[in-house]
Amino acid sequence: MSSPVPPAAAAVCPPSCQNCSLRRTGAFTVLKPEVLDFIESFRTETQSVAAGETLVHEGQTNVRLFTLFSGLAFRYKSLSDGRRQILNFLLPGDLVGLQQEFGEVSAHGVEALSDCYLCVFQSDSLWAVFREHPRLGYDVTWLAAHEESHVDDNLLTTGRRNATERVAMLLMHLYRRLDRIGLAEDGSVPFPLTQQHIADALGLSLVHTNKTLRRLALLGLHELKDGRLRLLNPRALARIAEYYDTPPRVMPLL
């Protein structure tokens, strides 16, 4: 288990699922008390991971199943020379480790972008979810499909969008995801990404990433300051990225 994260740095997992602050944001499906009790019954512990630490290593065996309660992280794959592709970003409420439930080793790594707290589930709990609560089993399937859709969007972005469109898409997409789970404050959201993270996610060089961010900032479209992102002209960013935001539906949360 990683060294403890100071409580001031990230929200600590509640002792009971009934007291989960994520469930009060309105972004997640409402569950009956007995279903929450079932989820809590196979939560074995909570885990803290400091910013920059690796939660899951590529090729790791016996990866456990987690729900990210607070903080941001990302999934990635790397080459032997150290080049890295960030596959997608993980936000509070996301399920971590599901892919490893169906394989012997982890096909990707997971690293904390900021101080994180996670709820840890029993390694053999997934079958019990499907067997005893089919509706929760459907929710797990939905979460897997939802994460796949993020990866599909990222593939389109890196494969077909130009640098300006890529950066605009990333800024819009992360802002909207963070806003919907209640992390927007005074028009800004936490944004612990460095320019290297953005470059690794978008398949750009660090120099190209820097120039593109500066260009969009000079146009008055966004502001990055003190680890927070503010969209100054979201309509213009959406047009550049061809980002069509549909009304969000509530999401499952384990």
Side-chain angles (χ1 to χ4, degrees), residues 16-245:
S16 170
C17 292
Q18 302 277 359
N19 300 321
C20 179
S21 58
L22 285 178
R23 298 187 186 278
R24 296 195 292 269
T25 63
F28 301 97
T29 52
V30 177
L31 299 178
K32 296 180 179 179
E34 59 268 26
V35 180
L36 289 177
D37 289 341
F38 173 76
I39 293 174
E40 189 174 331
S41 70
F42 69 85
R43 187 179 75 165
T44 58
E45 61 177 308
T46 61
Q47 181 175 352
S48 59
V49 181
E53 288 191 2
T54 299
L55 174 62
V56 177
H57 293 272
E58 292 177 279
Q60 181 177 332
T61 59
N62 300 321
V63 176
R64 293 180 293 179
L65 195 63
F66 308 86
T67 288
L68 181 59
F69 177 73
S70 65
L72 280 74
F74 61 89
R75 295 195 307 117
Y76 67 91
K77 291 179 72 73
S78 59
L79 298 173
S80 59
D81 61 3
R83 286 176 293 168
R84 178 179 67 181
Q85 177 67 46
I86 291 179
L87 304 173
N88 68 325
F89 293 97
L90 302 170
L91 275 56
D94 285 343
L95 196 60
V96 184
L98 182 60
Q99 293 84 355
Q100 280 63 64
E101 290 285 322
F102 304 98
E104 294 182 357
V105 299
S106 174
H108 59 258
V110 179
E111 182 177 311
L113 268 170
S114 61
D115 296 340
C116 294
Y117 277 95
L118 306 103
C119 297
V120 185
F121 299 115
Q122 300 170 19
S123 58
D124 58 351
S125 59
L126 197 56
W127 173 239
V129 170
F130 281 86
R131 184 182 63 247
E132 299 182 32
H133 282 274
R135 176 65 201 190
L136 284 181
Y138 174 84
D139 288 347
V140 170
T141 304
W142 190 94
L143 288 169
H146 188 61
E147 183 170 358
E148 182 181 1
S149 73
H150 286 322
V151 176
D152 289 348
D153 288 340
N154 293 343
L155 181 60
L156 173 63
T157 294
T158 56
R160 291 303 176 189
R161 287 186 168 98
N162 62 37
T164 302
E165 293 166 340
R166 293 183 203 185
V167 173
M169 180 65 182
L170 183 144
L171 296 179
M172 286 294 304
H173 187 59
L174 280 181
Y175 187 96
R176 295 303 186 206
R177 289 181 64 197
L178 290 162
D179 180 36
R180 70 169 304 187
I181 57 175
L183 292 181
E185 184 179 333
D186 296 328
S188 69
V189 296
F191 198 82
L193 285 69
T194 65
Q195 291 189 9
Q196 187 64 64
H197 291 128
I198 296 173
D200 288 348
L202 300 179
L204 298 172
S205 70
L206 193 56
V207 172
H208 207 168
T209 299
N210 177 271
K211 289 182 177 179
T212 305
L213 283 168
R214 288 176 58 193
R215 185 183 307 118
L216 292 174
L218 288 172
L219 289 172
L221 303 187
H222 80 282
E223 178 185 66
L224 285 172
K225 184 178 180 181
D226 299 327
R228 299 189 68 85
L229 166 66
R230 185 183 303 274
L231 302 186
L232 303 178
N233 193 337
R235 289 188 178 182
L237 277 173
R239 285 196 299 269
I240 291 172
E242 292 191 46
Y243 182 89
Y244 305 110
D245 198 16

